[in-house]
Amino acid sequence: MRNSSSTLESLPTMFILVGIPGLEAEHIWISIPFCLMYTIIFLGNGTILHVIRTDTPSLVQPMYLFLSMLALTDLGLTLSTLPTVMQLLWFNNQIISFEGCFAQLFFLHTFSFMESSVLLAMSFDRYVAICRPLHYATTLTNSVVGRMGLAILCRCVLAVLPSLFLLMRLPFCRSHLLSHSYCLHQDMIRLVCADIQVNSWYAFAVVLLIIVMDPLLIVLSYTLILKSILCTASWTERLRALNNCLSHMLAVLVLYVPMVGVSMTHRFAKHAPPLVHVIVANIYLLAPPVMNPIIYSVKTKQIRLGIFRLISQRSMHLR
């Protein structure tokens, strides 16, 4: 009987989510800025997708197809956490089922890795456009971009699935209380009361292959871009080329700076107040989807003009 009861304890039917530690009584008020950010995410990324779709063929260049992938990834990342975050802030519902938690973990990490992979593909697009302009149209055709998008999806799904299955086979016999309002792998693994060496090594390999390799390849692409610009271009052309890359460089910083912050706090600030971990994790998940449409709307002339046309059309319809 003792063995069967311990087995039941090791197979939880639910996990308990946490909102903003120490501010539980203020969750309704805290939900207001969250709602505002979610509104910006859906309006911003939805508008970019609409502009790219309706302004064809002027925006069917590879750059804008990659931008569409980035907007879809931002929407997917937001939708993977929105249900649990808002149900906790609005209704104080802290319970998530075992299956629901693993499903959320899968989508959250898949879209997070896709964000990094799409930015890597966009850096390759910028490299070809600036360093190999005569080969741009033949190198990055629509079919090539489509295959790159499919490769990104397969890469991220195949990176997350093994860690998901490795985690599901382990017993959860400690507290089922998580540290966030959504399910993260690094948060769930600490609740396991078994040997996690295989999980740790696999997580380390994924970090090397995606979280470390992607930014290194992005830095390499920009090193080659800068080398090409400084060797062949006039100052006017250099500034124009750098301005074309500025929006992408800002998007890279918006993703990787919070990502490094999350890794540093989990690694070196384990004893920091829980509020610190919650704030850093929410910045990591919300900053890219909020900022990317703002960055590309402001810095990309074609997107900006498309938004102005959309607004003028809507105002004419209202009249």
Side-chain angles (χ1 to χ4, degrees), residues 83-105:
T84 53
V85 171
M86 297 315 297
Q87 77 173 13
L88 200 153
L89 293 178
W90 279 347
F91 309 111
N92 199 31
N93 185 356
Q94 297 179 263
I95 305 301
I96 184 171
S97 68
F98 182 80
E99 296 81 5
C101 197
F102 277 94
Q104 186 178 58
L105 181 151

Side-chain angles (χ1 to χ4, degrees), residues 248-274:
H248 179 257
M249 289 189 286
L250 291 174
V252 168
L253 291 175
V254 165
L255 174 66
Y256 287 110
V257 170
M259 186 182 289
V260 171
V262 168
S263 300
M264 296 292 283
T265 52
H266 273 280
R267 179 73 62 179
F268 302 110
K270 293 180 180 178
H271 302 293

Side-chain angles (χ1 to χ4, degrees), residues 7-303:
T7 303
L8 287 172
E9 287 178 7
S10 66
L11 296 172
T13 58
M14 65 185 70
F15 289 98
I16 303 171
L17 302 170
V18 171
I20 311 297
L23 298 173
E24 288 82 2
E26 312 299 330
H27 275 178
I28 289 294
W29 295 105
I30 293 171
S31 70
I32 296 174
F34 274 88
C35 287
L36 179 61
M37 285 186 284
Y38 285 136
T39 302
I40 293 171
I41 289 169
F42 289 117
L43 283 178
N45 289 288
T47 300
I48 285 180
L49 287 171
H50 180 74
V51 167
I52 292 174
R53 185 178 67 85
T54 55
D55 276 27
T56 53
S58 61
L59 296 183
V60 189
Q61 299 174 30
M63 172 184 172
Y64 300 107
L65 296 178
F66 286 127
L67 183 54
S68 297
M69 294 182 198
L70 186 65
L72 287 171
T73 302
D74 284 336
L75 290 174
L77 183 62
T78 302
L79 288 171
S80 65
T81 60
L82 184 148
T84 53
V85 171
M86 297 315 297
Q87 77 173 13
L88 200 153
L89 293 178
W90 279 347
F91 309 111
N92 199 31
N93 185 356
Q94 297 179 263
I95 305 301
I96 184 171
S97 68
F98 182 80
E99 296 81 5
C101 197
F102 277 94
Q104 186 178 58
L105 181 151
F106 169 75
F107 287 110
L108 195 159
H109 286 287
T110 298
F111 282 115
S112 178
F113 291 159
M114 283 180 66
E115 185 105 13
S116 176
S117 300
V118 171
L119 288 175
L120 175 59
M122 294 175 81
S123 72
F124 177 70
D125 168 77
R126 292 297 83 202
Y127 164 76
V128 176
I130 293 173
C131 300
R132 301 285 187 272
L134 297 178
H135 302 281
Y136 184 74
T138 55
T139 302
L140 287 172
T141 61
N142 288 348
S143 62
V144 169
V145 173
R147 288 197 292 269
M148 289 175 70
L150 183 60
I152 287 170
L153 179 62
C154 294
R155 177 200 194 206
C156 298
V157 169
L158 293 176
V160 175
L161 277 179
S163 63
L164 191 71
F165 293 134
L166 286 171
L167 186 60
M168 290 181 73
R169 70 184 176 86
L170 296 174
F172 292 86
C173 52
R174 294 176 183 164
S175 166
H176 300 155
L177 181 67
L178 299 175
S179 303
H180 302 287
S181 51
Y182 37 80
C183 299
L184 288 173
H185 181 272
Q186 56 265 42
D187 195 17
M188 295 174 67
I189 196 73
R190 67 181 180 82
L191 304 180
V192 172
C193 57
D195 183 17
I196 59 170
Q197 188 171 2
V198 175
N199 300 66
S200 299
W201 278 111
Y202 182 78
F204 180 70
V206 170
V207 167
L208 284 180
L209 290 174
I210 296 181
I211 307 302
V212 174
M213 188 176 72
D214 284 4
L216 287 178
L217 291 175
I218 291 172
V219 170
L220 175 62
S221 69
Y222 274 108
T223 302
L224 296 173
I225 288 171
L226 285 173
K227 182 179 177 182
S228 175
I229 291 172
L230 294 175
C231 289
T232 61
S234 66
W235 275 107
T236 304
E237 292 170 331
R238 291 173 188 174
L239 292 175
R240 187 183 299 116
L242 289 174
N243 188 58
N244 288 335
C245 296
L246 183 59
S247 54
H248 179 257
M249 289 189 286
L250 291 174
V252 168
L253 291 175
V254 165
L255 174 66
Y256 287 110
V257 170
M259 186 182 289
V260 171
V262 168
S263 300
M264 296 292 283
T265 52
H266 273 280
R267 179 73 62 179
F268 302 110
K270 293 180 180 178
H271 302 293
L275 183 61
V276 173
H277 291 275
V278 170
I279 291 173
V280 172
N282 279 309
I283 290 173
Y284 163 61
L285 289 177
L286 290 173
V290 169
M291 293 303 300
N292 284 340
I294 296 174
I295 290 169
Y296 280 96
S297 298
V298 172
K299 295 302 301 178
T300 307
K301 181 180 178 181
Q302 290 85 344
I303 297 293

